[in-house]
Amino acid sequence: MKQYIVRRIGYCLLSLFLLSLTIFFFVRVTGDPATLLVEPGASPDDIAAIHHQFGLDRPLLVQYGLFMASVLTGDLGQSFYYRTSVFELYWSRLPYSVMLATAAMAFSLLLGIPSGILAAVRVGRFWDSAGKVFALLGLSLPSFWVGLVLILVFSVYLGWLPSSGSGTPLHLIMPAFALGWYFAASHMRLTRSSMLEVLGSEYVKLARLKGLPQALVIGKHAFKNALIPVLTLAGINFVIMISVAVVVETVFAWPGVGRLLYEGVAFRDFPVVQGTVLMLGAMTVTVNLIVDILYAVIDPRIRLAS
Amino acid sequence: MPNAPLLELENLSTHYVSAQGTRVVRAVDDVSLRIHAGETLGIVGESGSGKSTLALTIMRVLPPAARIVSGRMMFEGEDLLHKSDEEMEQVRGRRIAMILQDPMASLNPLFTIGNQVAESIRAHEGASRAKAWNRARELLKAVRIPSPETRVRQYPHEMSGGMRQRIVGAIGISCEPRLLIADEPTTSLDLTIQAQYLKLLRDLQQAHGLALIFITHNLGIVAKMCDQLAVMYAGHVVESGPVSRIFNAPAHPYTEALLNSIPRMSDDRERLTAIDGQPPDMSRLPPGCSFAPRCPRAFDRCLQMAPPETVTEEGRTARCWLAAPVLNTNQPALRREAV
Amino acid sequence: MSTSAEILTLPSRPPRFAFLRGLRLSGFPLIPTVILVGIAFVAVFANQLAPHNPEVGSLAARFKPPFWETGGTMKYLLGTDQLGRDVLSRLIFGARVSMVVGITAVIFAGVVGTTLGIISGYLGGWVDQLIMRLVDTWLALPALTFAIFLAAIAGPSMWNIVIILGITYWTRYARVIRGEVLSLKEREFVRLAIVAGCSKWTIMRRHILPNVINSAVVLGTLMLGVVIITEATLSFLGVGVPPPQPAWGLMLSDGKQSLMVGRWWLTIFPGVCIMLMVLSANILGDWLRVKLDPQLRQL
């Protein structure tokens, strides 16, 4: 198992390296980075100063070295708009994103898992077809449109829920629904196929042969086994949720890192954009690594395989 | 001493229907069997002959594509076919138990051994957790698993194949059923462990007065374990009766071929005899006797009409034109050398 | 011979919603295909079909609701937006953007991804490792974030968006195609070609490529929906196809401003268009996947 973990860590580091390289590369390749690094409306003198400050007149390798050096020390630059360190900005906003992702994840599991089980147990019949429709809709409706429609119905017409901002749990309901909708469909599909596989297994057959009541067979034997792949996916999806929440946070003005990214883009605040993307990428890669390691610890087959 | 059979199957048929309803596989076709209390019935056949489907039919745990289309199933005088699902749940595990072939697959990897053994006891007898776990420990002892106290808390993957199969056996007898169906329980075990396991089954049977249906493809096991025998081919029972009489004088060419194909130390033959041909495609059976294409004694009528099941002597049946009583006077009974 | 006449297990009745299945699985999905062809048609003939100029509006006619509401007129069937531009015309021209960007991006990603997938799968070795590491990294970062990043630093233009979407999504192809190539490599006809002395490139081009086209096409239809949603998202965030060119996502962004005062038509109609197009692409892709290659079911 140690070998497995070491290898995973190696991949993680390699991915982080490639991530930084990709970001570095694309910034350079789309034009003069100075125009990005400088505030909008700056004079040619400022641009020259930026060239010097960021070493843009030095060889690429040196530039990359400088870039990595500052990144690794947590210096992601200063936001033009907020005038504070991007790093601090990111961490101050992250809790909100985590909150939203948690609520959305809870919703997606509460909706996805039971409907997946229902679809599997009633395979080929009504609930299964309904499930398939649900899965399609989940894939085909953009999350931000779901959010907009929700605002239309619940804020404008019914006046029940607030349409933007944070602060009360009521503020969380619609964004969580809009964000979680796609993942609910994805979790439903996986639950269904996992459940179908488990229902066809020998141990479920034996459980039925033992004369256990149907509810016990499904609720105890099938359920727990079917849930494993789903929870694994959910773990990986959690971080993805934080990243794709950018649109939902924008629609609902929810102060998370997604909205931070949007602000950076809208205000041409390049340090924010670059810093946020770097952090999001690093976070995703790291969490994937943690999930991989947890898997190795929990699943005895991997544990014993080394 | 005529006593009523414990389990009686009459003209039982189970068909698999494809999703569009186009292909029908007659997995179990017009099967009639009976078994009495304390008896051991062996069911022998190649894979695909319908033995496992027959067992699942008795338990009424068939996959959705399968349907019992006709026949009767009586257990202790009760009609099994018309019981509701809840009533069958009372029968399964408690009055009729079944053990499956692959013990690694039949045990849930996420629950402890104790949990899985105690489960039936709790479900069927409403026993408390403590009582059920105590019984579980006793059962593990009864199936000769060393140090049951520690084993009871372990998980299936921590045990060897032989131990797992014993645990499955423990689960089987946990609620004192009258009938135990064993579907190829030794096929996935090492040869050295097989003998021990068979002995265990026999001892359990005698201790609990169990009737045993033993499904296998291995005639050697049948010789050791079984009183009665039913030979299946392509969904039919082609021959049935007491083991010793069948082994001495098989009535059906398939049975004879099976017996001939067992290599013996005393054989003078230089080559192994296998049965010619391939097992039939169950979705496209030929008209007439399904064994006819491979039968060394087939004649015209065999290829045209399927033979009915006939009673050849007291307690024996055969499904073969050669065994019809009308022909007994002209046709010498099939014989083989004494064992 | 006694036979009990009852059937003892429930006969299966055709499910009540069988028509849904017909829409999707066994039969050809007619409606989705019609919708997609319809949108393509509209995209091509936008100039002829649109009643008004989508980019220029008259301020006097701002915020008119659809014709069936009070205050609406037949002149602007589906209403107007904040600049007095006809919604219907903008929807029609938006179809062009979605179609062009969607299809081009999918083809671009497909070509790059399939090529690299074939090279990676067939050549193996360090080339394979390098490409796969790149793919893994790229896949680790959520596509949307990456696309936003690229769109923010590149200039706003339609072709930039196409390139960005291509760069973002080629990895999906590469992974799948590489898997197929790995198993194709072991097949008889490839071995024969090697023995016959064909060069690596010839084999890849003439033997491997035709056999993976199926998967690439199926993947393409499935990716079309994803790409269109991403394009709409980019437009919504303001980094997509630049105004005044109409894109459905951009219309949604504009519409958001006046959502709170109940101008629902600016939000509902563009969203419905996106939904119809993506839904149709997904249904078609599902059907293709089942029909063309059962092995792809795990996609």
Side-chain angles (χ1 to χ4, degrees), chain B residues 41-94:
Chain B
L41 166 66
I43 302 186
V44 159
E46 299 168 330
S47 36
S49 55
K51 349 189 264 291
S52 294
T53 311
L54 181 61
L56 293 177
T57 304
I58 297 174
M59 300 294 276
R60 287 192 46 201
V61 175
L62 287 166
R67 264 176 259 164
I68 307 175
V69 296
S70 62
R72 257 171 36 117
M73 269 196 320
M74 306 293 285
F75 177 70
E76 295 189 320
E78 292 172 31
D79 183 354
L80 282 187
L81 239 30
H82 290 98
K83 282 189 186 289
S84 68
D85 279 337
E86 289 77 28
E87 289 169 337
M88 274 313 290
E89 280 170 10
Q90 293 300 313
V91 174
R92 291 185 211 124
R94 182 188 241 177

Side-chain angles (χ1 to χ4, degrees), chain A residues 201-216 220-222 224-225 228 300 304, chain B residues 56 59 61-62 89 92-93 98 100 105-111 115-116 119-120 123-124 157 171:
Chain A
S201 68
E202 285 288 287
Y203 53 84
V204 164
K205 198 201 285 189
L206 190 70
R208 294 171 70 198
L209 288 170
K210 276 154 90 166
L212 299 177
Q214 180 78 331
L216 192 60
K220 178 180 172 188
H221 284 274
K224 212 171 164 191
N225 291 73
I228 297 179
L304 302 169
Chain B
L56 293 177
M59 300 294 276
V61 175
L62 287 166
E89 280 170 10
R92 291 185 211 124
M98 184 162 165
L100 297 173
S106 0
L107 292 171
N108 193 325
L110 296 181
F111 294 101
N115 189 317
Q116 297 188 57
E119 209 177 15
S120 322
H124 285 298
H157 67 265
I171 294 176

Side-chain angles (χ1 to χ4, degrees), chain B residues 157-186:
Chain B
H157 67 265
E158 297 178 77
M159 326 202 102
S160 71
M163 261 195 275
R164 286 195 283 263
Q165 196 60 305
R166 288 163 188 271
I167 290 167
V168 173
I171 294 176
I173 60 168
S174 58
C175 298
E176 310 266 335
R178 306 291 320 278
L179 171 63
L180 179 64
I181 306 178
D183 190 353
E184 309 222 34
T186 54

Side-chain angles (χ1 to χ4, degrees), chain A residues 106-136 138 180-196 199 223 227 230:
Chain A
F107 163 68
S108 77
L109 291 176
L110 282 172
L111 182 57
I113 293 184
S115 55
I117 293 182
L118 198 55
V121 171
R122 300 254 177 274
V123 64
R125 282 135 74 178
F126 170 68
W127 283 110
D128 190 21
S129 305
K132 289 201 178 116
V133 171
F134 170 46
L136 260 183
W181 174 252
Y182 167 83
F183 295 94
S186 156
H187 291 155
M188 187 225 87
R189 278 212 305 197
L190 185 57
T191 305
R192 175 186 178 274
S193 63
S194 174
M195 191 71 177
L196 279 179
L199 284 176
F223 182 68
L227 221 43
V230 181

Side-chain angles (χ1 to χ4, degrees), chain C residues 1 107 146 179:
Chain C
M1 190 159 83
I107 293 180
F146 196 46

